[in-house]
Amino acid sequence: MKTVYYTATSVDGFIATADHSLDWLLSRHSDEDGPMGYNQFITAIGAIAMGASTYQWILDNEPGEWSYTVPAWVFTHREFPEFEGRDIRLTAEPADIVHKQMAAAAPGKDLWIVGGGDLAGQFADHGLLDEIIVSIAPVTLGSGAPLLPRHLELKVTEVAPNGEFACVRYEVAR
């Protein structure tokens, strides 16, 4: 089991604009079955974690849709509507406590930190982040939500082009 931060970023290191827009990302082409593509990645995932801004983006931009079939933890102090019939757990617990819950819910499967960067950093702060897979889009944003606002030492384990993206897999150095 690995805990993986799988995301996309602009060349200058932002995962969303200052107003939480992903238009810069959603207009780009990638092959979901290609190198480091989503379809292969998601088959190994047994549980996911996301921050409140990511969850709010889904509520605002994909109303009524929830594409995940595995248990999901949403780190928040806010009240949110839930998707009926989906295993979505709103939590304010620390990352290390939730990590144990996620691992128990997904035996033998990987855990995905969907976003944002600070949430991935919270897992890293506890030594619980194993891998970062990032697709780098050919665009700069100038500001916004940072990819990962922490100092981490990483080791490149794979690099591949996929559509308009340069994809890199990093192992988090311990």
Side-chain angles (χ1 to χ4, degrees), residues 35-56:
M36 289 181 253
Y38 180 81
N39 290 340
Q40 181 181 4
F41 171 77
I42 197 66
T43 62
I45 299 303
I48 63 175
M50 69 179 64
S53 294
T54 301
Y55 190 65
Q56 184 67 60

Side-chain angles (χ1 to χ4, degrees), residues 116-148:
D118 186 63
L119 180 60
Q122 291 174 44
F123 281 83
D125 291 347
H126 291 284
L128 299 171
L129 188 62
D130 301 304
E131 190 173 72
I132 299 170
I133 303 171
V134 61
S135 297
I136 304 163
V139 62
T140 59
L141 300 179
S143 66
L147 172 64
L148 208 151

Side-chain angles (χ1 to χ4, degrees), residues 21-164:
S21 173
L22 296 178
D23 291 347
W24 63 272
L25 172 64
L26 300 175
S27 64
R28 305 287 170 184
H29 167 72
S30 70
D31 180 357
E32 291 190 350
D33 293 313
M36 289 181 253
Y38 180 81
N39 290 340
Q40 181 181 4
F41 171 77
I42 197 66
T43 62
I45 299 303
I48 63 175
M50 69 179 64
S53 294
T54 301
Y55 190 65
Q56 184 67 60
W57 188 93
I58 293 170
L59 292 173
D60 292 345
N61 293 278
E62 299 175 351
E65 294 183 37
W66 185 256
S67 61
Y68 306 113
T69 59
V70 298
W73 280 258
V74 177
F75 286 73
T76 186
H77 294 283
R78 296 187 247 169
E79 294 293 322
F80 279 113
E82 296 186 30
F83 283 90
E84 191 68 33
R86 301 296 184 174
D87 189 354
I88 301 170
R89 306 166 193 200
L90 304 178
T91 185
E93 295 285 340
D96 59 330
I97 302 297
V98 174
H99 188 270
K100 290 175 188 168
Q101 297 168 6
M102 292 173 68
K109 295 280 225 165
D110 291 343
L111 309 179
W112 178 18
I113 312 306
V114 177
D118 186 63
L119 180 60
Q122 291 174 44
F123 281 83
D125 291 347
H126 291 284
L128 299 171
L129 188 62
D130 301 304
E131 190 173 72
I132 299 170
I133 303 171
V134 61
S135 297
I136 304 163
V139 62
T140 59
L141 300 179
S143 66
L147 172 64
L148 208 151
R150 300 287 196 285
H151 176 108
L152 291 178
E153 295 294 328
L154 307 171
K155 176 184 175 190
V156 174
T157 59
E158 184 179 358
V159 178
N162 182 325
E164 295 182 62

